Amino acid sequence: MGVVGLGTMGAGIVEVFARNGLDVTAVEISEAALERGRVTLTGSTDRAVAKGKLAEAERDALLARVDFRVGLDALHDVDLVIEAVPEHLDLKQRIFAELDRVCKPEAILATNTSSLSVTEISVATSRPNQVIGIHFFNPAPVMKLVEVVRTVVTSADVVADVEALCERLGKVDVTISDRAGFIANALLFGYLNHAVGMFEARYATREDIDAAMKLGCGLPMGPLALMDLIGLDTAYEILDTMYRRGGRDRRHAPAPLLKQMVTAGLLGRKSGRGFYTYERPGSPKVVPDEYTPPAGDAALADGARAIAKVGVVGSGTMATGIIEVFAKAGYEVISVTRGAEKSAKVCEAVKTSLNKGVVRGKLSETDRDAALGRITWSATLDHLADVDLVVEAVIEELSIKKALFASLDEICKPGVVLATTTSSLPVIDVAMATQRPADVIGLHFFNPAPIMPLVEIVRTIRTSAETSATARAVCATLGKTGVVCGDRSGFIVNALLFPYLNDAVRMLEASYSTADDIDYAMKLGCGYPMGPFELLDVVGLDVSLAIQRELYLELREPGFAPAPLLEHLVTAGYLGRKSGRGFRDHTRR
Ligand SMILES: NC(=O)c1ccc[n+]([C@@H]2O[C@H](COP(=O)([O-])OP(=O)(O)OC[C@H]3O[C@@H](n4cnc5c(N)ncnc54)[C@H](O)[C@@H]3O)[C@@H](O)[C@H]2O)c1
């Protein structure tokens, strides 16, 4: 094997080959760069030894398989060479022309490009039929996926050889044709760029954007931490190429901040500073800097009002979960529904859920009884006259929520925080239905509320600092991570998640790949807990379409327009698991 360029990706690819018993010639442009590559490789293998994942003897054997060399001439004898130099077409074309000259005639020439055209790279050689894309994911030794990119001239033998190689390396490959961003990056980079845009617009802090996506979607890293891992220079080039090659979708036009950061040398982990600051260049360890929020409850409670008694209005899934969360955290709770029958049902549901906690050993019987004892069941809003916080979780209809908030305004004592759990309506609309918009805020819990660790705290332009501080302090006492954001459609999580899901539907609609391969790509290449089609079927296609429509209506971004296939499936009654069929048929499983 030959590997050209030992940066973020190249050094990892060398490790993957050598770990699997292949001899590697590892090539860099200069002695200094070669040394950096060597340090990266030994650092990574030493960590594996320290973690007990690799024996010392195995590490020594692995390192002995790698021949570090300066200059492409060292590659004259390899069977396959993979190039991992910076994402510039002219540079890659120059290297391929040179490889064509140096390598033996039967050698396969592969590129690890993320977004450039493999076809355009291949025509710089006299053997385009032996040129192929082998796109590893970062970090290469960890991520299971490899995208194998076949151009219209890549020969079938070469594709088969590379697929066999992937299998030998213990990777899962998806073979696809040559399109900007292939599967994973085409779906990932619009999302990453959008997250950078949110940060740039001060819509939310870096910590809150990242926490929202980790805790709200179960992603292994937040988008800004991931940008730092990818490298901001590489990310910029990928976005720039995707913008030009992928139909000038504005969502791929690199956020202006990226260019500034790259120019300033803030490249992410590799330079020791990007969106976050790292212990030293190349280190994964984040250290505090001037933007790190002060830790501890003292900071959270700054200006917060005391809350002891909480009213929860509603009788659905969210209200039920929220009642349980507050009661378990020691708050006195008044549940208000539209009738005794509904109250009885909610009470039953809360009991069932608490009992489950007891059976699983997560809650003692005493604590369960105490939690139940703290809840008062009522069918009259008047009982909310002396609560300190009201959480509204009624049906998602603006007119109903507005009427409710107008009533709360009349009933509740002054200084009460009035919160709505809406997931799609503007909080400011609800706030303006009262005479006290400064006390109104969004508390967007996730389903199921007792389990999901995230709450989006939605501040309108009228919300007071005191109200925000109170909401943050309350979330902390509930054991939830509260992330603060502005009052825009989709808040943080849905605004970043649903356009990605919609893009996956478009990709399927364009027959670029299959639902299975797209799901694999996101799970194995990016560490998502579920692929986009699995998730769409769980969330419900109708719900997803409604959210996507809202986002499109608010931002008028053409790229956010709901995918026609999504609309058709909803019209056809294919709503996902709940109707037995969505992108997949669930009746036969
Ligand atoms: N960073 C990621 O997360 C990621 C993931 C998958 C694929 N990729 C792709 O992998 C490729 C490399 O990206 P990276 O992030 O590793 O970049 P990088 O900047 O970390 O590393 C590039 C390396 O190439 C070396 N180099 C430059 N010119 C060279 C030459 N003429 N000969 C030999 N070596 C040379 C540089 O010294 C550097 O060490 C790009 O095409 C990128 O799109 C990146």
Side-chain angles (χ1 to χ4, degrees):
M1 297 290 150
V3 176
V4 182
L6 307 178
T8 307
M9 290 310 292
I13 295 170
V14 169
E15 184 177 337
V16 172
F17 287 151
R19 255 194 198 212
N20 287 282
L22 295 162
D23 290 327
V24 188
T25 304
V27 170
E28 260 291 354
I29 196 167
S30 65
E31 286 295 344
L34 198 61
E35 192 47 34
R36 273 200 308 275
R38 196 196 307 262
V39 168
T40 309
L41 179 65
T42 46
S44 172
T45 49
D46 286 351
R47 279 196 299 277
V49 170
K51 283 186 194 155
K53 290 185 175 167
L54 194 70
E56 270 183 46
E58 283 174 317
R59 175 200 52 200
D60 296 346
L62 185 163
L63 294 175
R65 277 184 216 113
V66 186
D67 180 15
F68 289 94
R69 304 285 281 274
V70 172
L72 300 176
D73 285 337
L75 297 165
H76 59 88
D77 202 25
V78 299
D79 301 313
L80 181 150
V81 55
I82 177 163
E83 158 282 309
V85 303
E87 191 78 343
H88 297 291
L89 182 61
D90 51 345
L91 172 64
K92 294 200 191 256
Q93 283 183 324
R94 246 187 297 129
I95 286 186
F96 270 72
E98 187 66 12
L99 288 173
D100 189 32
R101 194 184 56 75
V102 169
C103 295
K104 55 190 186 191
E106 64 274 27
I108 296 174
L109 310 181
T111 172
N112 184 49
T113 182
S114 310
S115 58
L116 294 168
S117 159
V118 179
T119 316
E120 279 183 70
I121 295 171
S122 76
V123 294
T125 74
S126 63
R127 51 177 118 173
N129 58 326
Q130 280 161 247
V131 175
I132 192 163
I134 307 182
H135 184 230
F136 284 89
F137 286 76
N138 189 0
V142 179
M143 302 313 285
K144 277 251 169 260
L145 184 78
V146 175
E147 287 172 327
V148 175
V149 185
R150 170 180 57 192
T151 73
V152 286
V153 293
T154 310
S155 84
D157 295 356
V158 169
V159 175
D161 286 351
V162 168
E163 286 173 342
L165 171 68
C166 291
E167 197 174 331
R168 169 162 183 193
L169 299 175
K171 301 287 184 194
V172 174
D173 70 274
V174 293
T175 302
I176 42 181
S177 58
D178 187 15
R179 200 174 109 161
F182 315 127
I183 298 178
N185 285 347
L187 297 182
L188 189 67
F189 271 82
Y191 147 69
L192 294 177
N193 200 36
H194 190 176
V196 175
M198 278 184 176
F199 172 74
E200 186 169 19
R202 297 173 194 268
Y203 179 66
T205 64
R206 61 182 185 187
E207 282 83 4
D208 281 359
I209 293 171
D210 280 351
M213 296 314 284
K214 273 170 71 176
L215 303 177
C217 303
L219 302 185
M221 314 178 91
L224 301 176
L226 179 55
M227 285 297 253
D228 276 359
L229 173 69
I230 292 168
L232 269 49
D233 49 345
T234 302
Y236 176 87
E237 294 302 333
I238 293 174
L239 281 165
D240 189 49
T241 311
M242 291 200 18
Y243 176 73
R244 283 185 283 108
R245 279 187 75 202
R248 305 200 173 251
D249 183 339
R250 287 193 28 78
R251 294 175 304 154
H252 292 139
L257 178 64
L258 273 179
K259 181 79 186 177
Q260 293 163 29
M261 290 177 76
V262 171
T263 309
L266 309 178
L267 306 182
R269 275 192 200 182
K270 62 182 161 190
S271 71
R273 183 148 186 183
F275 288 102
Y276 296 91
T277 303
Y278 298 85
E279 201 169 33
R280 60 192 141 66
S283 163
K285 186 160 180 239
V286 173
V287 293
D289 58 20
E290 66 268 39
Y291 302 112
T292 307
D297 286 350
L300 277 180
D302 201 16
R305 296 178 205 153
I307 305 283
K309 212 170 182 183
V310 179
V312 180
V313 186
S315 51
T317 315
M318 290 316 288
T320 308
I322 291 167
I323 292 168
E324 177 183 335
V325 168
F326 276 100
K328 271 202 299 210
Y331 289 94
E332 202 182 318
V333 181
I334 300 184
S335 152
V336 180
T337 72
R338 280 169 301 156
E341 215 173 288
K342 288 207 186 305
S343 288
K345 244 181 72 195
V346 178
C347 178
E348 249 345 278
V350 171
K351 272 189 194 153
T352 308
S353 176
L354 288 171
N355 282 334
K356 264 192 206 152
V358 173
V359 170
R360 292 201 185 123
K362 290 192 172 156
L363 191 70
S364 72
E365 291 190 7
T366 326
D367 286 347
R368 173 198 61 193
D369 297 342
L372 279 171
R374 281 192 281 269
I375 311 172
T376 310
W377 305 96
S378 160
T380 321
L381 285 176
D382 292 336
H383 286 143
L384 300 178
D386 70 337
V387 296
D388 308 308
L389 162 70
V390 179
V391 180
E392 165 278 311
V394 304
I395 190 171
E396 189 79 341
E397 253 186 60
L398 187 58
S399 58
I400 294 180
K401 289 196 195 271
K402 277 167 83 167
L404 176 62
F405 271 75
S407 307
L408 291 173
D409 193 21
E410 284 175 13
I411 293 165
C412 295
K413 67 184 181 191
V416 174
V417 171
L418 301 177
T420 170
T421 57
T422 182
S423 41
S424 62
L425 301 169
V427 177
I428 188 69
D429 273 330
V430 179
M432 295 312 288
T434 73
Q435 303 296 315
R436 42 174 124 175
D439 298 333
V440 178
I441 198 158
L443 282 182
H444 185 224
F445 286 82
F446 289 72
N447 190 15
I451 292 171
M452 294 296 285
L454 184 72
V455 178
E456 285 174 320
I457 300 173
V458 186
R459 239 177 6 196
T460 76
I461 43 172
R462 300 280 303 258
T463 306
S464 72
E466 212 182 328
T467 304
S468 297
T470 309
R472 292 176 61 191
V474 166
C475 288
T477 61
L478 296 177
K480 305 281 186 201
T481 298
V483 296
V484 180
C485 64
D487 185 21
R488 269 171 38 177
S489 182
F491 310 135
I492 300 175
V493 174
N494 287 355
L496 291 178
L497 178 67
F498 283 88
Y500 144 77
L501 296 175
N502 192 51
D503 285 346
V505 180
R506 279 179 192 279
M507 185 177 274
L508 182 69
E509 197 169 19
S511 302
Y512 180 59
S513 185
T514 63
D516 286 350
D517 277 0
I518 296 172
D519 277 353
Y520 274 135
M522 297 318 289
K523 285 197 287 192
L524 302 176
C526 307
Y528 280 52
M530 275 191 216
F533 299 104
E534 282 174 295
L535 186 56
L536 280 159
D537 273 5
V538 169
V539 172
L541 273 55
D542 49 345
V543 173
S544 306
L545 177 61
I547 293 173
Q548 191 60 29
R549 275 196 184 130
E550 290 286 341
L551 289 171
Y552 178 53
L553 277 179
E554 180 168 282
L555 298 169
R556 312 289 166 107
E557 175 64 58
F560 284 171
L565 176 60
L566 186 61
E567 310 218 19
H568 290 187
L569 288 165
V570 171
T571 309
Y574 294 168
L575 307 183
R577 278 179 186 272
K578 60 185 170 189
S579 73
R581 180 158 178 181
F583 285 96
R584 296 196 172 88
D585 186 350
H586 300 282
T587 52
R588 281 181 293 142
R589 296 184 181 207

